[in-house]
């Protein structure tokens, strides 16, 4: 079967990453989690004190981004300057800042280069917010994922509980709504469904139903 590029975009906490990772595994494709890259930048900025005033200090962020070494391994685990930061980038502190950091033009430019390079080869599943619209506009298959905000908050809350991360359901819901708002309304590369992207609302779908739906779409795209 011919290899294609698959772009998966959508709202936060829709299960995009799990879905994309699983799909890449099934197809023996490379998986690229672009959200993890923005999370690593946010973590580096937090550690460097870029947000200590309560706002993002753009001059300090620029300095921080210049010296950044971001890596994703074959299992899509994230590394910052060689340190495994996969656990830390999923916490609430990074989640609270990441959409502000990812709205900054020079941050996006820096990561766009890395993402396009990774996506240049066929046989890639890349997930994010602007993959179908900006990063890989020629992807043969584009999927835009959504789910009701309260369904997403419940899923994320359960996940944090399991990890022992302190958070209330309301905090998680507020964070999701804030990120939706920031993702959709930012000036640079806002979250938008590309005109040729297929909509997947998984609010009330089982994982199996979703997998079947996805593989159908992959087969159609490969046979075009
Ligand atoms: O998918 P995620 O929740 O891990 O993404 C983290 C943040 O990064 C989210 O607030 C949106 C942003 N992001 C982005 O702006 N563009 C992407 N391609 C991927 C993520």
């Amino acid at each position: 079967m011919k290899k294609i590029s698959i772009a998966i975009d959508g709202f936060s906490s829709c299960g995009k990453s799990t879905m994309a990772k699983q799909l890449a595994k099934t197809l023996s494709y490379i998986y690229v989690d672009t959200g993890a890259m923005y999370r690593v930048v946010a973590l580096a900025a937090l550690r460097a004190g870029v947000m200590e005033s309560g706002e993002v200090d753009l001059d300090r962020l620029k300095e921080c981004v210049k010296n950044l070494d971001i890596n994703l391994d074959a299992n899509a685990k994230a590394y910052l300057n060689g340190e495994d930061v996969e656990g830390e980038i999923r916490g609430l502190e990074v989640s609270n800042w990441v959409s502000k950091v990812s709205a900054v033009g020079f941050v996006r430019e820096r990561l766009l280069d890395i993402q396009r390079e990774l996506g240049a080869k066929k046989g890639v599943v890349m997930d994010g917010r602007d993959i179908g619209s900006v990063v890989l506009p020629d992807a043969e298959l584009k999927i835009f994922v959504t789910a009701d905000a309260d369904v997403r908050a419940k899923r994320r809350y359960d996940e944090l509980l399991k990890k022992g991360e302190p958070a209330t359901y309301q905090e998680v819901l507020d964070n999701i709504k804030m990120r939706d708002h920031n993702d959709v309304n930012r000036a640079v590369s806002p979250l938008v469904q590309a005109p040729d992207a297929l909509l997947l609302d998984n609010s009330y779908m089982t994982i199996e139903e979703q997998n079947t739906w996805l593989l159908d779409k992959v087969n159609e795209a490969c046979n075009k």
Side-chain angles (χ1 to χ4, degrees):
M1 194 151 75
K2 85 170 177 194
K3 291 209 164 189
I4 59 169
S5 299
I6 303 175
I8 301 188
D9 292 300
F11 288 94
S12 63
S13 299
C14 274
K16 285 191 309 293
S17 301
T18 313
M19 172 196 316
K21 200 175 188 173
Q22 180 58 46
L23 186 62
K25 199 172 165 200
T26 307
L27 301 170
S28 300
Y29 278 22
I30 294 164
Y31 166 56
V32 182
D33 177 357
T34 62
M37 294 180 176
Y38 287 101
R39 285 173 180 272
V40 173
V41 176
L43 176 65
L46 276 166
R47 286 185 177 178
V50 170
M51 285 80 96
E52 66 195 1
S53 68
E55 279 307 318
V56 178
D57 180 324
L58 291 178
D59 291 332
R60 290 180 70 183
L61 181 61
K62 201 168 234 169
E63 218 29 60
C64 174
V65 167
K66 242 194 246 167
N67 304 315
L68 214 58
D69 173 26
I70 300 176
N71 259 304
L72 300 181
D73 70 11
N75 297 314
K77 233 185 194 192
Y79 292 83
L80 166 60
N81 301 323
E83 175 193 346
D84 176 355
V85 290
E86 186 55 38
E88 214 174 328
I89 61 167
R90 308 289 164 189
L92 256 191
E93 203 186 7
V94 169
S95 297
N96 280 334
W97 280 105
V98 65
S99 53
K100 284 216 168 126
V101 170
S102 65
V104 177
F106 60 76
V107 171
R108 302 203 72 84
E109 273 166 36
R110 169 86 203 276
L111 295 190
L112 183 62
D113 289 341
I114 306 175
Q115 292 159 4
R116 285 218 169 120
E117 209 172 292
L118 289 168
K121 286 191 195 129
K122 292 291 164 189
V124 66
V125 182
M126 194 175 286
D127 89 70
R129 302 293 187 288
D130 58 343
I131 311 305
S133 55
V134 175
V135 183
L136 303 177
D138 298 329
E140 289 86 350
L141 178 59
K142 298 181 185 178
I143 294 165
F144 190 85
V145 196
T146 187
D148 296 347
D150 50 345
V151 173
R152 287 184 281 145
K154 178 76 174 69
R155 289 177 188 162
R156 183 90 188 101
Y157 174 67
D158 289 344
E159 229 175 73
L160 290 172
L161 265 192
K162 254 194 223 156
K163 284 192 207 158
E165 279 247 2
T168 64
Y169 169 79
Q170 194 56 46
E171 274 174 333
V172 176
L173 181 63
D174 290 348
N175 176 263
I176 281 180
K177 286 187 175 165
M178 190 254 311
R179 283 204 282 158
D180 286 357
H181 179 85
N182 289 349
D183 286 348
V184 169
N185 292 293
R186 69 167 172 244
V188 196
S189 294
L191 173 64
V192 61
Q193 181 178 353
D196 51 348
L198 308 171
L199 183 69
L200 169 63
D201 182 338
N202 68 13
S203 306
Y204 304 102
M205 265 176 140
T206 62
I207 298 287
E208 290 72 31
E209 286 168 339
Q210 183 168 279
N211 285 343
T212 306
W213 186 94
L214 277 171
L215 287 177
D216 269 0
K217 302 303 172 199
V218 171
N219 279 328
E220 279 169 26
C222 287
N223 292 321
K224 250 188 204 162

